[in-house]
Amino acid sequence: MKLFDRLINHEEALSLVGLGYVGMPIAHAFAKKGLNVIGFDLNKEKIEIYKSGIDPTNEVGDEEIKNTKINFTSNEKDLQQAKFHIVAVPTPVNTDHTPDLTPVISASEIVGRNLVPGAIVVYESTVYPGCTEDVCIPILEKQSGLKCGVDFKVGYSPERINPGDKVHRLENIHKIVSGMDEESLEVIKAVYDLVIEVGTHPVSNLRTAEAVKVVENSQRDINIAFMNELAMVFDRMDIDTNEVVDGMNTKWNALGFRPGLVGGHCIGVDPYYFTYEAEKLGYHSQIILNGRIVNDSMGAYVADAAIKKMIEAGQAPKKSKVVILGLTFKENCPDTRNSKVDDIIKHLNTYGIKPIIVDPWASERDALQEYGVKLTKLENVKDVDCVIVAVAHNEFKELGLGRVRELYRDVSDKEKVLIDVKGLYAVKELRETNMTWWRL
């Protein structure tokens, strides 16, 4: 426990490598506990934004960033001052759905180049079981010239932060912790117990901890895929899916899942990490990959529903003016990574439709860089033919149907098309408008 004692006595520093939606809240939490924290990110612009007292993630808040004692830096040599490193970089997938380990490999190289004897490196990035041992440790050893298990130790503690969630926060979510041996696990658990109020849950080895992460998100993905499949069937049966789910949820053992677009940096990605390693071992997923197929198809399904309703309303879709409300992958969160709203946009593009995109939460720069989308302010939207409510931001909930109807051209209600992806509006309310509507 010598390293733990030196951390709390300010004799050693802790570093966070990757200051995004996961890394920033962790760095902030440790800094609030009085530890010396080095916040490192390769993105110099992001570091300057943090130094100016602005939190682009909205996870911590500008006021907290202004007052934090974190040493923000983009100079990797500053990591040499730390003995406890936490790696929290994203792990996306390639276009063929294989793991893209580029960020975690790069982070391992950076940490390795600046690793000092006696250090512990803990990975939080989502990876397949075995990746930390098979990919990351060899890089750390090669870059540092040190021997793992002798000169430094490694652990894995999967991130469980839910971006935009103000209820389930870092401090009140049980945290899985693991170490390469009992000694490293003891230190890692003690360090995380400083900031995790509800406690940590140790597991026996790194591979088990890695498996916990990919499996918990694969479970959610499969359950949502089931609801999406039901929604597509109920659509054909002329049954409202949300009413069915409301009824089902009156039973004590209902799980509470609903249909929707499944994007983001976790649920839409992690299952591919799991199935990738399974296939390397000769097992082809029967359930997980089919769930992914269903969920990855939902953007196109919503776009096709919009086209059908435009035709039903007497519109010529190619000439119709369409606005999509929402671009981020979930409500009340600025995170646009792996947003499935992009699938709706791309599918509409195949019909020659260039929709207007409105999102008060999304960064204009991120929207343009990631999706080639130029955001429009809601107050500048008028004379549209079809409105697609894709993300349930509070701003869109508060609009109400009355304000939404003001966005349309001055035509009969039957000629106005409303696509309610998130089920924001009650069926009775929608029917009373006489608009041509559809909801998932």
Side-chain angles (χ1 to χ4, degrees):
M1 295 290 283
K2 288 182 180 179
L3 176 54
F4 174 75
D5 293 334
R6 291 177 70 82
L7 284 168
I8 61 175
N9 290 328
H10 308 117
E11 297 170 24
E12 299 289 359
L14 175 150
S15 85
L16 244 300
V17 179
L19 295 178
Y21 290 86
V22 173
M24 188 64 248
I26 300 169
H28 175 255
F30 280 116
K32 284 191 76 172
K33 291 296 181 179
L35 272 66
N36 293 331
V37 177
I38 298 168
F40 172 82
D41 200 287
L42 275 175
N43 189 328
K44 293 181 180 179
E45 183 182 355
K46 182 189 292 185
I47 291 297
E48 291 306 315
I49 290 173
Y50 282 130
K51 284 182 175 180
S52 70
I54 296 173
D55 177 15
T57 70
N58 284 342
E59 291 299 302
V60 175
D62 293 350
E63 196 62 33
E64 292 290 327
I65 294 295
K66 287 175 185 175
N67 297 315
T68 188
K69 298 292 177 58
I70 297 170
N71 175 22
F72 293 111
T73 180
S74 57
N75 182 359
E76 66 173 67
K77 292 189 181 300
D78 289 338
L79 296 175
Q80 295 174 15
Q81 303 169 26
K83 276 281 186 73
F84 194 99
H85 303 278
I86 298 175
V87 178
V89 295
T91 42
V93 292
N94 297 305
T95 54
D96 62 354
H97 296 149
T98 57
D100 178 4
L101 295 176
T102 304
V104 78
I105 288 173
S106 175
S108 298
E109 291 172 342
I110 290 170
V111 172
R113 286 195 294 268
N114 299 282
L115 202 59
V116 297
I120 291 180
V121 182
V122 181
Y123 287 87
E124 291 214 5
S125 304
T126 302
V127 292
Y128 54 79
C131 182
T132 302
E133 293 166 292
D134 299 341
V135 177
C136 301
I137 289 177
I139 295 172
L140 293 173
E141 290 183 324
K142 179 181 178 182
Q143 295 294 327
S144 67
L146 303 175
K147 183 67 177 175
C148 185
V150 178
D151 302 310
F152 68 93
K153 300 288 182 74
V154 171
Y156 184 82
S157 179
E159 59 89 1
R160 279 177 161 173
I161 288 173
N162 186 25
D165 192 334
K166 301 305 180 185
V167 176
H168 303 99
R169 310 298 294 163
L170 172 70
E171 61 274 8
N172 62 21
I173 302 174
H174 284 94
K175 192 147 182 44
I176 303 296
V177 292
S178 67
M180 64 182 297
D181 54 26
E182 285 298 325
E183 182 185 35
S184 57
L185 175 59
E186 186 180 8
V187 177
I188 292 166
K189 175 174 168 48
V191 170
Y192 276 108
D193 278 337
L194 287 172
V195 295
I196 307 298
E197 295 174 2
V198 294
T200 52
H201 180 85
V203 295
S204 59
N205 53 65
L206 306 183
R207 289 173 181 255
T208 299
E210 291 165 328
V212 169
K213 174 60 179 176
V214 291
V215 166
E216 64 189 23
N217 279 331
S218 296
Q219 174 191 239
R220 287 182 58 78
D221 194 44
I222 291 166
N223 277 294
I224 298 171
F226 172 59
M227 301 310 299
N228 279 333
E229 192 165 79
L230 289 181
M232 290 187 279
V233 175
F234 288 145
D235 192 27
R236 290 167 169 80
M237 294 179 172
D238 196 25
I239 295 173
D240 183 67
T241 306
N242 279 291
E243 187 175 359
V244 172
V245 174
D246 288 341
M248 180 181 69
N249 285 343
T250 61
K251 192 177 180 185
W252 77 90
N253 60 354
L255 299 179
F257 289 97
R258 290 185 183 270
L261 304 174
V262 184
H265 65 300
C266 284
I267 301 178
V269 172
D270 294 359
Y272 288 124
Y273 275 76
F274 184 59
T275 57
Y276 169 80
E277 187 64 9
E279 288 181 356
K280 281 173 59 180
L281 297 171
Y283 183 82
H284 183 74
S285 167
Q286 302 298 305
I287 297 176
I288 299 172
L289 282 181
N290 283 318
R292 283 277 76 234
I293 290 169
V294 170
N295 286 341
D296 277 346
S297 72
M298 293 310 292
Y301 184 76
V302 169
D304 282 337
I307 294 296
K308 290 175 183 177
K309 287 299 176 181
M310 281 187 266
I311 293 172
E312 183 182 319
Q315 298 179 18
K318 191 173 182 179
K319 296 180 181 179
S320 297
K321 188 175 181 180
V322 179
V323 61
I324 298 178
L325 301 184
L327 179 64
T328 62
F329 90 90
K330 65 181 295 187
E331 65 276 5
N332 306 322
C333 173
D335 196 346
T336 53
R337 290 175 297 173
N338 193 34
S339 171
K340 293 304 174 183
V341 177
D342 183 51
D343 291 349
I344 300 176
I345 297 170
K346 286 178 177 175
H347 203 69
L348 289 175
N349 289 165
T350 64
Y351 291 95
I353 299 171
K354 303 293 183 184
I356 298 164
I357 313 299
V358 174
D359 196 312
W361 283 82
S363 157
E364 291 186 7
R365 183 195 60 185
D366 290 347
L368 195 58
Q369 289 181 349
E370 292 181 44
Y371 304 112
V373 167
K374 187 175 182 181
L375 297 178
T376 301
K377 301 289 186 184
L378 184 63
E379 54 266 30
N380 295 328
V381 176
K382 59 181 180 180
D383 297 330
V384 303
D385 299 289
C386 173
V387 176
I388 301 176
V389 185
V391 185
H393 291 316
N394 286 341
E395 290 86 345
F396 300 150
K397 287 182 180 179
E398 293 166 2
L399 280 178
L401 275 177
R403 175 69 181 91
V404 170
R405 290 173 72 181
E406 293 175 7
L407 303 177
Y408 293 92
R409 289 189 301 117
D410 186 15
V411 293
S412 69
D413 282 345
K414 280 293 182 183
E415 296 175 77
K416 301 170 183 174
V417 175
L418 175 62
I419 305 298
D420 183 9
V421 177
K422 299 297 293 184
L424 292 189
Y425 310 109
V427 172
K428 181 182 178 183
E429 189 181 11
L430 289 166
R431 284 174 177 161
E432 288 174 350
T433 66
N434 288 321
M435 290 194 297
T436 299
W437 59 272
W438 178 90
R439 70 180 200 160
L440 184 60

